[in-house]
Amino acid sequence: MKRRNLFATAAAAGLALAPLGAMAQAYPTKPITVIVPFAAGGPTDALARVLTARMSEALGQTMIVENLGGAGGTIGVNKAAKATPDGYTVLFTHMGTLAVNIALYKTLPYDSQKDLEPIGLGGTNPMVLVTKKDLPAKNFQEFLAYVKANQKKAQYGMAGIGAASHLGGLMLNNMMKVDVLEIPYKGTGPALNDLVSGQFDYMVDQAVNVLPQIQGGNIKALGVSTLKRLPQLPDVPTIDEAGLKGYEVTIWNGFFVPKNTPKDVITKLNQALVAALSDEKTRARLIEQAVDLPTAKEATPEALRDQLKASIDKWVPAIKAAGVQPQ
Ligand code: ASP
């Protein structure tokens, strides 16, 4: 996908970047809470913080990130879905908590399509298969052989059922035909700390979280989840080319508000998001971390609604076809 700054077109048309002060309502008159349903220091948290820093400026009010991890993000999403729909509680989450987990839980406390209103896409991130530094495998083939031979003791980390890291690990293990113990965390921020200190063997996590530790030599990268190699990791093969044909997982993240939030509030939040996504400094920072930023067309509430539906349509049958039972 092209990553040029297409927001210039919207700005020229005077649409999405119209001054927020021109809106009729006074919103926002107080700080806005942004629920991130994973622990601080992980990829969802990192993206939320970069984007909301710039969105706060556009809105003229602070956006305060509240990390509410646990149960694969479902606790935080549920709190946001049930919040007062006044624009002062916003959710920033990824497709795992809204689409993937429909196939992984027998019951969910929310309906991601009925209980939430989309604001806009925040960015899509590739994933990377990373291992602890001293795992005896130099490349993907050796990793595969190691995990197959050590299924009783191998452990992989993830951020709970339905998290992005769960989807990445689940599909990987399924295609490798291995049954490995999973170690759940409240987010892959804390999981990454434990991988660096060698407390479990591997994880599939978003590039934005793991790149600094790979580049620092504290963990090993053995494969990327996209069908093309990442410019940040040119020597790391795709998992598809390394042997698991068809393995492809990327994770989109987006902003949502509870159902029945007034339309003008949704418009203002979307305008603030567009302002953040058109800010050169913000863009540069995210692109450097392999985040694929939406174009102006992809950053609308409608596009996010479609994206959510497309992800449900893709992943729910794919997980069922992989033989994974809901819990
Ligand atoms: N996005 C991560 C995952 O789903 C969790 C996190 O953001 O900490 O695994």
Side-chain angles (χ1 to χ4, degrees):
M1 205 184 287
K2 299 185 294 298
R3 289 303 109 205
R4 277 176 298 119
N5 187 350
L6 298 182
F7 288 92
T9 321
L15 297 171
L17 299 182
L20 299 183
M23 303 293 294
Q25 301 289 319
Y27 172 85
T29 57
K30 59 178 187 182
I32 298 162
T33 298
V34 180
I35 295 182
V36 166
F38 293 101
T44 318
D45 179 66
L47 290 177
R49 285 178 197 270
V50 173
L51 291 169
T52 57
R54 183 64 188 83
M55 288 169 74
S56 297
E57 280 174 32
L59 290 163
Q61 281 291 344
T62 318
M63 295 183 95
I64 302 162
V65 171
E66 183 191 338
N67 296 94
L68 199 53
T74 55
I75 295 171
V77 173
N78 191 41
K79 184 174 175 192
K82 308 267 157 48
T84 308
D86 57 4
Y88 291 100
T89 305
V90 172
L91 171 69
F92 185 72
T93 193
H94 62 54
M95 59 180 235
T97 62
L98 302 181
V100 170
N101 63 9
I102 294 173
L104 294 171
Y105 288 85
K106 278 191 187 131
T107 53
L108 276 173
Y110 52 84
D111 181 319
S112 54
Q113 288 177 294
K114 289 194 184 135
D115 298 342
L116 294 165
E117 282 294 339
I119 298 294
L121 198 60
T124 302
N125 213 223
M127 303 190 93
V128 187
L129 164 63
V130 286
T131 74
K132 64 182 180 186
K133 205 175 156 184
D134 61 1
L135 193 89
K138 287 187 300 301
N139 53 42
F140 185 81
Q141 287 71 24
E142 289 183 14
F143 166 79
L144 181 56
Y146 175 86
V147 179
K148 273 191 187 287
N150 290 279
Q151 289 188 54
K152 285 212 176 77
K153 64 170 193 185
Q155 300 183 336
Y156 87 98
M158 41 77 104
I161 310 276
S165 47
H166 184 216
L167 176 67
L170 185 75
M171 297 317 274
L172 182 84
N173 291 341
N174 203 279
M175 289 174 79
M176 294 198 300
K177 301 190 174 50
V178 295
D179 189 8
V180 175
L181 187 67
E182 61 195 23
I183 312 290
Y185 287 84
K186 285 192 172 173
T188 47
L192 183 60
N193 291 339
D194 278 6
L195 185 66
V196 169
S197 60
Q199 301 197 32
F200 61 89
D201 300 305
Y202 66 98
M203 171 163 84
V204 181
D205 193 23
Q206 284 135 285
V208 65
N209 196 35
V210 294
L211 277 176
Q213 296 291 3
I214 298 167
Q215 285 152 354
N218 299 321
I219 51 175
K220 294 192 284 197
L222 299 184
V224 298
S225 74
T226 40
L227 295 178
K228 264 194 178 167
R229 291 190 183 202
L230 301 182
Q232 290 83 354
L233 300 170
D235 300 330
V236 178
T238 69
I239 294 172
D240 171 270
E241 72 173 281
L244 297 187
K245 273 274 151 271
Y247 184 94
E248 188 191 10
V249 185
T250 56
I251 306 300
W252 58 257
N253 301 264
F255 287 92
F256 292 81
V257 282
K259 189 92 192 157
N260 296 325
T261 299
K263 183 86 184 69
D264 63 326
V265 168
I266 292 176
T267 304
K268 278 193 178 180
L269 286 166
N270 179 265
Q271 288 178 339
L273 173 63
V274 168
L277 291 169
S278 57
D279 178 67
E280 287 305 333
K281 259 204 207 146
T282 307
R283 293 180 66 79
R285 196 162 158 203
L286 292 174
I287 290 168
E288 191 184 275
Q289 292 171 303
V291 180
D292 197 3
L293 292 172
T295 61
K297 239 184 160 179
E298 292 163 345
T300 62
E302 295 70 34
L304 183 52
R305 193 185 309 282
D306 292 348
Q307 178 93 55
L308 172 59
K309 183 176 181 311
S311 297
I312 294 172
D313 291 348
K314 173 178 174 175
W315 286 111
V316 173
I319 292 165
K320 282 196 182 138
V324 182
Q325 295 303 319
Q327 323 207 344

